[in-house]
Amino acid sequence: PPAAGGQQRRIGPRLHMRAVLAGRMMADTGERRKVPLVPENLLKRRKAYQAIKATQAKYALQEKRKLQKGKKIRFKRVENFIKDSRRKYRDEVRFVRMAKKPDWNDVPEGQKLAFAVRIRQIHGVSPKVRKVVEMLRLRQLYSGTFVKLNKTSLRMLKVVEPYVAWGIPNLKSIRELILKRGQAKVNKKRVPLTDNSIIEQHLGKLGLICLEDLICEIYTVGKSFKEASNFLWPFRLSVARHAARNKVGFLNEFGQTGNRGTGINKLIRQLN
């Protein structure tokens, strides 16, 4: 109660401590603390950002529908089906004839290395041909890889003979290919061979620390040839667009598929 003269009584320190303790006890018994509120300006920013994202998604969906409306349906002509069927049939006949020839898979004496280049499309070919092309890492047109010659690899090259040209490369061709178009496969990515440290980091345990070691290992088909060949990304060779469109002129200029022998070096210089 107020004192006489309108003045309030002062609370002593003991009463003040009792009031604080009572408040704490009430909070512990069941009262919850209030959650801090989010500032109003932050709520406005969030709402505006959500509105912008919704508008962008709406416009993106409209553009996608426009493209789908204007996209033409691609039909495959009957002639293409017939062409693919004939190609598969020719492949099957070729496999039967290969099985009847016992001496075609003999490894040439003194030859250990070959370079294969894919110069034909493989649309509609036999599944066996497609699988061998993938095993040789020739998935793209005008791509090339080094192959160690043995009975198994010769059989694989014979299977894809109508689509791949291969032969015996010399040291000059190997050096030019690796120095100009050599790329390493690091974590499933292509990395240009601009520094010897890349080779030393991935092939150092095999004794290959520089480009010259890599070239020598490929040319001599050493003990680490498989690791060195897999370390190199398949070579992507270049062909002029007008040359690729003119199929007759292209075949006259670059030659036919199959075994070229030492003539593969000329093809490498034309495509490199």
Side-chain angles (χ1 to χ4, degrees):
Q7 295 181 357
Q8 295 182 354
R9 295 179 180 178
R10 295 183 178 179
I11 299 176
R14 292 183 179 179
L15 293 176
H16 179 69
M17 289 296 296
R18 288 178 183 177
V20 172
L21 291 174
R24 290 182 179 178
M25 289 176 66
M26 289 175 63
D28 294 338
T29 53
E31 290 187 2
R32 297 181 179 178
R33 295 182 180 180
K34 293 183 179 181
V35 179
L37 300 177
V38 181
E40 186 178 359
N41 60 345
L42 183 58
L43 291 174
K44 289 182 178 179
R45 289 181 183 177
R46 289 179 181 176
K47 189 175 181 180
Y49 179 74
Q50 292 175 358
I52 292 172
K53 297 298 289 184
T55 306
Q56 290 178 353
K58 180 181 177 181
Y59 286 148
L61 182 60
Q62 290 177 355
E63 292 295 330
K64 185 178 180 180
R65 288 177 178 175
K66 287 180 182 179
L67 292 174
Q68 289 178 350
K69 288 181 180 179
K71 189 175 181 180
K72 297 181 180 180
I73 301 175
R74 297 182 63 182
F75 293 95
K76 192 170 183 181
R77 297 180 178 274
V78 179
E79 293 84 354
N80 293 334
F81 283 104
I82 296 174
K83 187 177 179 180
D84 295 345
S85 178
R86 287 177 178 173
R87 184 174 291 178
K88 289 182 181 178
Y89 176 73
R90 287 198 300 267
D91 287 338
E92 296 298 331
V93 171
R94 190 163 50 86
F95 297 154
V96 173
R97 292 176 179 174
M98 285 167 50
K100 293 180 180 179
K101 294 181 180 180
D103 57 344
W104 62 265
N105 57 351
D106 292 338
V107 181
E109 187 176 356
Q111 306 297 339
K112 298 181 180 180
L113 179 67
F115 184 76
V117 186
R118 188 183 134 200
I119 59 177
R120 291 282 185 87
Q121 294 284 0
I122 57 172
H123 297 310
V125 298
S126 172
K128 185 176 181 180
V129 174
R130 188 176 295 275
K131 184 178 180 180
V132 173
V133 167
E134 292 180 356
M135 291 174 66
L136 293 173
R137 302 191 300 162
L138 300 176
R139 295 179 179 88
Q140 292 185 346
L141 193 62
Y142 309 121
S143 60
T145 55
F146 293 108
V147 181
K148 183 179 180 180
L149 286 181
N150 50 41
K151 290 188 176 181
T152 304
S153 61
L154 278 175
R155 190 179 298 109
M156 293 169 63
L157 291 171
K158 197 69 177 180
V159 168
V160 298
E161 187 176 18
Y163 315 99
V164 174
W166 63 277
I168 311 301
N170 54 27
L171 181 60
K172 182 179 179 182
S173 299
I174 297 172
R175 186 185 300 275
E176 289 178 353
L177 277 170
I178 295 178
L179 292 180
K180 186 176 181 180
R181 299 189 179 273
Q183 292 179 324
K185 183 169 61 176
V186 180
N187 296 328
K188 298 183 180 181
K189 295 182 180 179
R190 288 181 295 175
V191 179
L193 293 175
T194 56
D195 192 358
N196 289 330
S197 60
I198 302 174
I199 301 174
E200 185 177 3
Q201 182 180 357
H202 294 87
L203 300 178
K205 58 184 179 181
L206 303 175
L208 308 177
I209 60 174
C210 63
L211 277 171
E212 292 299 326
D213 293 343
L214 183 62
I215 294 170
C216 181
E217 186 69 21
I218 294 292
Y219 179 68
T220 58
V221 191
K223 296 180 180 179
S224 306
F225 173 81
K226 184 177 180 180
E227 291 79 2
S229 180
N230 292 333
F231 174 71
L232 291 172
W233 197 277
F235 298 94
R236 302 179 67 177
L237 306 176
S238 61
V239 177
R241 292 183 180 178
H242 66 277
R245 290 172 184 170
N246 185 8
K247 295 183 179 179
V248 178
F250 175 81
L251 292 177
N252 291 334
E253 184 178 358
F254 295 101
Q256 297 292 334
T257 58
N259 186 5
R260 297 279 193 90
T262 56
I264 195 68
N265 297 294
K266 181 181 178 182
L267 181 63
I268 292 173
R269 288 179 179 80
Q270 288 176 328
L271 300 179
N272 192 8

